[in-house]
Each structure stands twice: as C-alpha cells, then as structure tokens.
Amino acid sequence: MKISSSRTAFLVFLILAFLVPAGCPLAAGQPSVRHKVVQGDCIRSLLLGANCVTSMSQYFSVREAFAGLNPELFHSALLVPGTTVSVPVLFKRAAGCLAFREQRIVRIEFEGGGAAEKVFVYLDGPVLPDVFTLKQTQPVRVVCDFDGVLPEAGLQREIDTPGRMIRKLRVGHEDKPFKRARVVLEVDDTLAGRIAQEFFEQESLFVLTVHELERN
C-alpha cells in the first residue's frame, strides 16, 4: 500500500524503538487546571474537554504538554480514580472544537520491504493514539492505544505479517472503564530501530513506521 504524494501528513514525532517516550518539560507559566480523576476518565477526554482542539497538530501539542506535567502517565490505563492530574489549557473554547466521541478503526494494513515496515490504521475520525512499549515479554510489543475508539465489527483481530521486524499484528478492545482499541505490534528488537508516527488528517489515517536498526 503506497501513500499518494498528494496527501499531506502531520509528522507527529520520532522515538527510539522500545523506549517509553518521556514528557517534555513545559515553559514556566504554562496554563493548566487540576483535575480529580473519576472512573471512566481517559487522557483524550480530559484534553478535549479542556481545550478547543481543531486538528491533530494541536492535539499533539496538548498531549505533549500533558506528558510534561504528568510524565508518569504515558497512557490512560495509568489514571487512578481519586488522584489528581494537571491538564494543560492551550486552546480556548470556540466554534469548531473536536468533541470526545466514539470513533472506529475501519481497516488495518501492513507494508514491508526494504529497511522500513509500515502499519496503516484507518479510522472514521481523527484520533492519535498513545504509543508505548512492553519489554517484559518476548517478543517485544509496541502498543498503540486509541482512547474512545472501538474496532469495526468484523475487523481481523490477528494478522500474520511477512515482515522481518514486525512479526504479527493484534487488535483488541475494552469497553470499561472507558472504550479503548489497542493495536499491538510484535517486533524483533534485535532488528528494529527508530519508529516514526504520522497522521494524515484528511484520511484519518495513522501510520507507524518501524525502521531497521542502524549498525556501525
């Protein structure tokens, strides 16, 4: 599957594979509010509730700010009811804000070959996942959590890929304490290097690219 050159992507960020991305420190005086976590909260709902986000570029800015304020909370399952978190407020409420509503993953595709392998996640609305790694078991797993998202009925849940670095894709979901779709990549950590994440706004397409480890 090739991405047309006419499409414009928002390049989200680059991380080294198998490292949990750390939050960036915020500038002094960054506006934020304190929120007491209740059952069913997720990071995406908190951010969209406090900010008028109109694009995934803006959402990424707010998500990075949240990571800077709460570096230990790199995905929503770590939110504990009764605790307090800091929620950044970067974009004032106005018309055209994205609402927190249920979205769907409608299709997942894999593309291999060469020194990079790609996973394409097509959604029916704009949602950026939280991406982190699970290193406790083999193979190592790269996890993409889509808060407020469910897989489309009939979506294949296990995909054996012909890749060298990405060995298998799995799709799961939870309904409680909040709706969440999870896309898991089983990867060979002896071959995989940096990971690039992109979001194609018009297509609501999230692309995760695993690059081969560069060796000296």
Side-chain angles (χ1 to χ4, degrees), residues 9 24 46-47 51 64 69 89 118 160 174 184 193 203 210:
C24 348
L46 296 181
L47 298 182
N51 293 269
E64 283 289 273
L69 291 168
V89 182
K118 297 177 182 286
D160 290 316
E174 295 178 348
V184 179
E203 292 87 353
V210 178

Short mmCIF file of all heavy atoms in Angstrom, two decimals, residues 9 24 46-47 51 64 69 89 118 160 174 184 193 203 210:
data_model
loop_
_atom_site.label_atom_id
_atom_site.label_comp_id
_atom_site.label_asym_id
_atom_site.label_seq_id
_atom_site.Cartn_x
_atom_site.Cartn_y
_atom_site.Cartn_z
N ALA A 9 0.86 15.03 5.31
CA ALA A 9 0.90 14.35 6.60
C ALA A 9 1.39 15.31 7.66
O ALA A 9 2.22 16.18 7.40
CB ALA A 9 1.82 13.15 6.52
N CYS A 24 8.09 16.20 27.70
CA CYS A 24 8.97 17.33 27.66
C CYS A 24 8.59 18.33 28.72
O CYS A 24 7.43 18.52 28.98
CB CYS A 24 8.90 18.05 26.34
SG CYS A 24 8.09 17.32 25.03
N LEU A 46 -9.98 14.15 28.72
CA LEU A 46 -9.58 15.28 29.54
C LEU A 46 -9.03 16.42 28.69
O LEU A 46 -9.36 17.59 28.90
CB LEU A 46 -8.52 14.84 30.56
CG LEU A 46 -8.94 13.81 31.61
CD1 LEU A 46 -7.77 13.52 32.55
CD2 LEU A 46 -10.15 14.29 32.39
N LEU A 47 -8.22 16.07 27.71
CA LEU A 47 -7.60 17.11 26.87
C LEU A 47 -8.61 17.81 25.97
O LEU A 47 -8.59 19.03 25.82
CB LEU A 47 -6.47 16.49 26.03
CG LEU A 47 -5.31 15.89 26.82
CD1 LEU A 47 -4.24 15.37 25.88
CD2 LEU A 47 -4.72 16.90 27.79
N ASN A 51 -9.67 21.89 26.15
CA ASN A 51 -9.09 22.65 25.05
C ASN A 51 -9.98 22.61 23.82
O ASN A 51 -10.66 21.61 23.57
CB ASN A 51 -7.72 22.06 24.66
CG ASN A 51 -6.68 22.22 25.74
OD1 ASN A 51 -5.94 23.20 25.77
ND2 ASN A 51 -6.59 21.25 26.64
N GLU A 64 1.60 16.53 24.35
CA GLU A 64 2.97 16.70 24.81
C GLU A 64 3.02 17.53 26.09
O GLU A 64 3.81 17.25 27.00
CB GLU A 64 3.81 17.39 23.72
CG GLU A 64 4.22 16.47 22.60
CD GLU A 64 5.27 15.48 23.04
OE1 GLU A 64 6.47 15.82 22.99
OE2 GLU A 64 4.91 14.36 23.47
N LEU A 69 3.58 17.67 32.19
CA LEU A 69 3.01 17.90 33.52
C LEU A 69 2.86 16.61 34.32
O LEU A 69 2.90 16.62 35.55
CB LEU A 69 1.64 18.57 33.37
CG LEU A 69 1.62 20.01 32.87
CD1 LEU A 69 0.21 20.43 32.51
CD2 LEU A 69 2.18 20.95 33.94
N VAL A 89 -4.09 23.76 29.40
CA VAL A 89 -5.14 24.51 28.69
C VAL A 89 -4.41 25.44 27.71
O VAL A 89 -3.96 26.52 28.07
CB VAL A 89 -6.02 25.32 29.65
CG1 VAL A 89 -7.12 26.05 28.88
CG2 VAL A 89 -6.62 24.42 30.73
N LYS A 118 5.72 -0.69 7.58
CA LYS A 118 4.68 0.26 7.96
C LYS A 118 3.39 -0.45 8.34
O LYS A 118 3.04 -1.48 7.75
CB LYS A 118 4.38 1.22 6.80
CG LYS A 118 5.54 2.12 6.39
CD LYS A 118 5.14 2.99 5.19
CE LYS A 118 6.30 3.87 4.73
NZ LYS A 118 6.53 4.99 5.68
N ASP A 160 -0.92 -12.10 10.64
CA ASP A 160 0.45 -12.56 10.50
C ASP A 160 1.10 -11.78 9.36
O ASP A 160 0.65 -11.86 8.21
CB ASP A 160 0.50 -14.06 10.20
CG ASP A 160 0.09 -14.90 11.41
OD1 ASP A 160 0.55 -14.58 12.52
OD2 ASP A 160 -0.69 -15.84 11.23
N GLU A 174 -11.37 -2.70 24.84
CA GLU A 174 -12.03 -2.72 26.13
C GLU A 174 -13.21 -1.77 26.08
O GLU A 174 -13.16 -0.74 25.40
CB GLU A 174 -11.07 -2.29 27.25
CG GLU A 174 -9.89 -3.24 27.47
CD GLU A 174 -8.94 -2.74 28.55
OE1 GLU A 174 -9.08 -1.57 28.96
OE2 GLU A 174 -8.08 -3.52 28.98
N VAL A 184 -1.45 -3.87 18.68
CA VAL A 184 -0.17 -4.32 19.21
C VAL A 184 0.68 -4.89 18.08
O VAL A 184 0.22 -5.74 17.31
CB VAL A 184 -0.37 -5.39 20.30
CG1 VAL A 184 0.97 -5.86 20.84
CG2 VAL A 184 -1.24 -4.85 21.43
N GLY A 193 14.77 -0.44 14.84
CA GLY A 193 15.40 0.77 15.39
C GLY A 193 14.37 1.82 15.70
O GLY A 193 13.42 1.57 16.43
N GLU A 203 -7.58 11.83 5.67
CA GLU A 203 -8.00 10.43 5.60
C GLU A 203 -8.22 9.81 6.98
O GLU A 203 -8.62 8.64 7.06
CB GLU A 203 -6.95 9.60 4.85
CG GLU A 203 -6.83 9.91 3.37
CD GLU A 203 -5.86 11.07 3.12
OE1 GLU A 203 -5.40 11.69 4.11
OE2 GLU A 203 -5.56 11.34 1.94
N VAL A 210 8.35 1.35 11.32
CA VAL A 210 9.48 0.80 12.07
C VAL A 210 10.67 0.73 11.13
O VAL A 210 10.62 0.05 10.09
CB VAL A 210 9.14 -0.60 12.62
CG1 VAL A 210 10.36 -1.18 13.36
CG2 VAL A 210 7.94 -0.53 13.56
#
